[in-house]
Amino acid sequence: VVRPRKVYPEYLAYALRESSFVETVVSRSVGVSYPAVNASEVGRIAIPLPYPGEQQAIATFLGRETSRIDTLVAKKRELIERLKEKRTALISQTVTRGLPPDAARAAGLDPHPKLKPSEIEWLGEIPEHWEIIELRRFTNFITSGSRGWAEYYSDEGSIFIRIGNLTRSSIDIDLSDVQYVTPPTGSEGERTRIRNGDILFSITAYLGSVAVAEESITGAYINQHIALVRVDHSRLEPRYVAYSTLGDIGQLQLSGLGYGGTKIQLSLDDVLSLRFCIPPIDEQRTIAAYLDKETAKIDALIAKVEEAIERLQEYRTALITAAVTGKIDVREKEMP
């Protein structure tokens, strides 16, 4: 807690956000896992201190300008949420009703298939030639990762897939944060080893996250928070199953299957009990390819908006620094 004395409080609030002040705080902090700095250290850091009238002018200027930037950022965050909702709606519609008419026609499929009751109250009708199946029907193998593998962590070796590598926004593995392991020899290691096309489900904490293993991570291992499902590829397209999991049909089931107290989790049988709308295998592959293309377009838009937000935040930081350190004369900007 900083209680201002002989300084305009709003100005001080901005001065404590100025980039060189923050860098100084960071440089004086100690600790690796939880770096911290003493209050007395913070108190000894010098800040620029103009005359009171100029302090107030700077605070007023920054209050107005940062508010404008924050409004822009908020609108862009809302746009990102709408784009994510659009992606979810697209996936949900496609894995329960099929391709849009134009895309179906281009793929040689019936653009307006006859519908039949799904016999699932909240799902409604599905194409007549589709069926509702439990995942267990075409599953050849299922397992979860072993516990206690932290002792096998290493700086190199095999990739160790953790729950953070799965997301609710994509069916691809997120390798932005990778842990490696040198696994034990024997059947325990082989049991949890990933093959191309395996479907990975989160079974604790982040229920609803899913990914499909590509060739690039074949041979990687999973931890205890992930279920590995190996399906019959002649009957199920893994990417279609993963998209179905990201859609409403999968998310609603997963949210209702969780059990436990403060730590929600799924059993392997819960995963096998998931029900999906399944068209013939060729149509599954066509739908998966269509969703790969269309979701990539939406993701590219989201990435552009996120870049714009980052630039605005950088500009906000630079503006605060410039005003607090006297790089810009805000007194003139306050004049009518």
Side-chain angles (χ1 to χ4, degrees):
V1 176
V2 177
R3 186 164 295 143
R5 183 169 60 89
K6 298 182 180 180
V7 61
Y8 194 64
E10 285 78 4
Y11 169 81
L12 181 59
Y14 285 115
L16 300 183
R17 296 189 186 101
E18 189 267 319
S19 57
S20 65
F21 181 88
V22 174
E23 290 168 3
T24 303
V25 171
V26 172
S27 69
R28 297 189 184 187
S29 63
V30 294
V32 178
S33 299
Y34 300 98
V37 63
N38 292 327
S40 58
E41 282 287 330
V42 175
R44 284 194 290 268
I45 300 173
I47 64 169
L49 192 63
Y51 291 113
E54 194 168 354
Q55 293 177 32
Q56 187 169 1
I58 290 171
T60 300
F61 167 76
L62 287 176
R64 182 183 68 246
E65 296 304 315
T66 58
S67 177
R68 290 174 180 173
I69 295 170
D70 292 343
T71 299
L72 284 173
V73 168
K75 288 181 178 178
K76 291 188 182 297
R77 292 195 193 281
E78 289 174 4
L79 175 57
I80 288 176
E81 289 306 308
R82 289 197 298 272
L83 287 169
K84 288 180 178 179
E85 291 170 0
K86 178 181 178 180
R87 179 176 54 198
T88 299
L90 171 68
I91 293 171
S92 299
Q93 176 73 15
T94 308
V95 298
T96 56
R97 298 292 189 276
L99 294 174
D102 289 345
R105 196 176 292 110
L109 299 172
D110 185 351
H112 302 288
K114 293 182 180 179
L115 301 178
K116 66 178 181 182
S118 66
E119 299 182 357
I120 299 176
E121 183 178 353
W122 51 265
L123 180 57
E125 295 183 318
I126 63 172
E128 193 174 49
H129 63 291
W130 291 24
E131 59 180 331
I132 303 291
I133 65 120
E134 281 193 351
L135 185 59
R136 72 175 76 248
R137 180 174 167 186
F138 299 128
T139 294
N140 295 330
F141 177 73
I142 183 170
T143 191
S144 58
S146 301
R147 297 180 181 275
W149 271 38
E151 62 183 286
Y152 304 122
Y153 283 8
S154 61
D155 294 331
E156 55 184 23
S158 300
I159 294 175
F160 191 52
I161 300 298
R162 298 168 294 168
I163 199 167
N165 299 120
L166 277 58
T167 74
R168 292 192 186 95
S169 60
S170 171
I171 64 170
D172 296 318
I173 299 287
D174 178 4
L175 296 178
S176 58
D177 182 15
V178 178
Q179 177 62 56
Y180 296 95
V181 290
T182 303
T185 58
S187 59
E188 183 61 19
E190 287 301 314
R191 178 180 64 81
T192 63
R193 198 171 191 180
I194 294 172
R195 296 182 186 176
N196 186 29
D198 286 348
I199 309 170
L200 309 179
F201 294 86
S202 61
I203 54 175
T204 66
Y206 300 103
L207 301 185
S209 300
V210 64
V212 177
E214 300 289 349
E215 187 69 39
S216 61
I217 64 163
T218 296
Y221 297 87
I222 58 171
N223 75 357
Q224 73 268 26
H225 303 294
I226 296 173
L228 180 155
V229 177
R230 193 166 293 147
V231 298
D232 179 352
H233 291 187
S234 68
R235 306 301 298 272
L236 288 181
E237 164 55 45
R239 293 182 73 80
Y240 177 86
V241 175
Y243 277 123
S244 295
T245 304
L246 283 188
D248 290 341
I249 187 171
Q251 296 297 307
L252 287 171
Q253 292 180 83
L254 287 168
S255 64
L257 284 174
Y259 66 90
T262 57
K263 187 176 183 181
I264 298 176
Q265 59 183 359
L266 299 175
S267 69
L268 296 183
D269 190 65
D270 289 331
V271 176
L272 291 175
S273 298
L274 290 171
R275 292 185 293 173
F276 299 114
C277 306
I278 303 298
I281 186 64
D282 288 342
E283 190 170 352
Q284 292 178 47
R285 291 168 181 155
T286 299
I287 288 174
Y290 169 81
L291 289 175
D292 284 344
K293 181 180 66 176
E294 295 302 315
T295 57
K297 293 178 183 177
I298 297 173
D299 290 341
L301 288 174
I302 291 173
K304 287 184 179 179
V305 179
E306 288 174 339
E307 288 175 5
I309 289 175
E310 186 175 353
R311 288 195 299 270
L312 282 169
Q313 291 174 329
E314 289 173 353
Y315 173 66
R316 188 184 194 277
T317 299
L319 187 66
I320 291 172
T321 298
V324 169
T325 58
K327 299 290 193 305
I328 53 175
D329 187 352
V330 301
R331 293 172 301 179
E332 297 178 0
K333 300 180 184 299
E334 290 301 308
M335 296 175 61

